[in-house]
Amino acid sequence: MRWFWIDRFLDFESGKSARAVKNVTLSEEHLHDHYPGYPVMPGSLILEGMAQTGGILLGETHQFQHVVILAKVPKLAFHSRVRPGDTLIYSARLIEAREEGGLVEIDAHCGDRLVANCEIVFAHLEADAGGAAANQKNFVFEFGLADILARSQQNG
Amino acid sequence: MPSQQEIFEKVRQTLVDALGVDDDEVTPQATLIGDLGAESIDFLDIVFRLEKSFDIKIPRGELFPENLTAADSGFVQDGVITPSGIAELRKRMPHADVDKLAANPKVENIQELFTVEMVTKFIGGKLGA
């Protein structure tokens, strides 16, 4: 399984906002354990999708030159459940983008139904920070996540 | 121009939002790290919120200087801040109570410079209050 929690970008306005889609399907293994007989997409993975949408929005402002890591989730609220067959739309707005990090607001909807909303603070890891964190160099982008953006533009 | 009290109230709300503390914990003397439980990443969040709340720009390192105690800075020796280190702190943090630190210049006391009052003074200076 690949750690992609968005399928495609629907809109991408550099330095401002992005909308990404995640189609939820019963073929996702974890849904059969969460919960047996009643599959619900885990909130942690909805947050991951929001973070991937927001992280790419921020990373793109610096042409993915920084190591963008999720530093803090100051606000997060879940409002409704996500079931197989649902189409999640993550809408991210870039509030701050600075040399040392950024702040993104994101909400998740299924149709008109609000699923979750959050604020995420991302930090840019210094290249000379060393240690395990630095070894995950661009962990968000290294696994081809940023390619989702490129592919979405081709699709468009 | 807002009064110091008005600035303090907005700083208080910023810290309540960023750190999840109760508003009565945010007193002028409270230290961000020791009393309010701030971690390094919270400083970035606090800067974002202050900029938004007061409609100002806070350049990197201006409110919360970085690398003050780097090994090669010459500002710390045997766990104590050197006189040149104290002078540097006065220069870089005119909004902080460096006198108090100078009286007991252990390196671990640096974090006591980061008080709610320091933030309020910094914002006051930015706004020309």
Side-chain angles (χ1 to χ4, degrees):
Chain A
M1 181 164 142
R2 308 291 175 112
W3 200 247
F4 296 135
W5 293 100
I6 52 178
D7 294 325
R8 193 206 294 176
F9 279 93
L10 301 174
D11 304 298
F12 198 95
E13 193 173 356
S14 178
K16 289 193 173 165
S17 63
R19 278 198 319 138
V21 60
K22 157 68 186 164
N23 285 307
V24 182
T25 162
L26 255 187
S27 65
E28 293 173 41
E29 197 68 32
H30 59 275
L31 291 177
H32 297 269
D33 299 311
H34 188 282
Y35 301 93
Y38 189 79
V40 176
M41 182 168 174
S44 53
L45 295 178
I46 296 173
L47 175 61
E48 178 67 28
M50 293 194 284
Q52 292 188 354
T53 307
I56 291 175
L57 176 62
L58 174 64
E60 191 272 343
T61 63
H62 293 101
Q63 291 78 49
F64 302 107
Q65 293 303 303
H66 287 299
V67 182
V68 175
I69 58 168
L70 188 156
K72 181 178 174 185
V73 182
K75 278 187 197 163
L76 172 64
F78 292 101
H79 304 275
S80 59
R81 290 173 189 166
V82 177
R83 312 286 315 274
D86 280 343
T87 295
L88 269 167
I89 305 287
Y90 299 124
S91 303
R93 295 166 301 285
L94 190 63
I95 307 301
E96 283 275 2
R98 301 165 50 120
E99 198 56 31
E100 62 267 48
L103 175 67
V104 183
E105 286 178 358
I106 307 146
D107 54 50
H109 282 84
C110 283
D112 292 334
R113 174 166 58 88
L114 179 64
V115 168
N117 53 356
C118 71
E119 284 177 2
I120 301 179
V121 175
F122 293 95
H124 294 151
L125 199 63
E126 300 291 344
D128 60 357
N135 291 336
Q136 297 180 30
K137 184 173 173 298
N138 262 359
F139 79 99
V140 168
F141 308 128
E142 190 149 280
F143 300 112
L145 195 55
D147 292 346
I148 294 177
L149 179 57
R151 281 198 296 273
S152 300
Q153 286 161 344
Q154 287 163 9
N155 292 338
Chain B
M1 200 178 292
S3 68
Q4 284 291 326
Q5 186 59 31
E6 287 166 335
I7 294 170
F8 171 72
E9 291 300 336
K10 278 171 89 168
V11 167
R12 187 205 298 255
Q13 190 55 48
T14 298
L15 295 174
V16 166
D17 292 341
L19 303 176
V21 291
D22 291 333
D23 55 3
D24 60 358
E25 292 179 76
V26 186
T27 61
Q29 292 74 36
T31 59
L32 302 186
I33 296 168
D35 294 330
L36 302 181
E39 297 181 26
S40 59
I41 202 62
D42 292 316
F43 290 110
L44 189 57
D45 187 18
I46 290 167
V47 166
F48 289 156
R49 288 173 194 279
L50 290 172
E51 287 193 335
K52 198 170 164 189
S53 181
F54 290 97
D55 194 23
I56 54 175
K57 282 282 157 208
I58 303 175
R60 181 177 192 172
E62 202 174 288
L63 174 57
F64 303 118
E66 300 166 16
N67 304 321
L68 285 172
T69 58
D72 56 357
S73 64
F75 297 149
V76 178
Q77 199 165 19
D78 302 327
V80 175
I81 307 162
T82 60
S84 65
I86 293 289
E88 179 72 10
L89 283 169
R90 287 190 201 281
K91 195 169 81 186
R92 286 167 67 173
M93 301 185 69
H95 42 286
D97 186 358
V98 179
D99 288 344
K100 190 176 163 199
L101 177 69
N104 188 9
K106 286 184 189 163
V107 77
E108 63 264 31
N109 291 342
I110 284 187
Q111 66 181 44
E112 292 177 10
L113 291 175
F114 301 103
T115 62
V116 176
E117 186 171 36
M118 181 208 81
V119 177
T120 306
K121 276 187 183 167
F122 174 83
I123 300 290
K126 277 270 164 196
L127 296 173

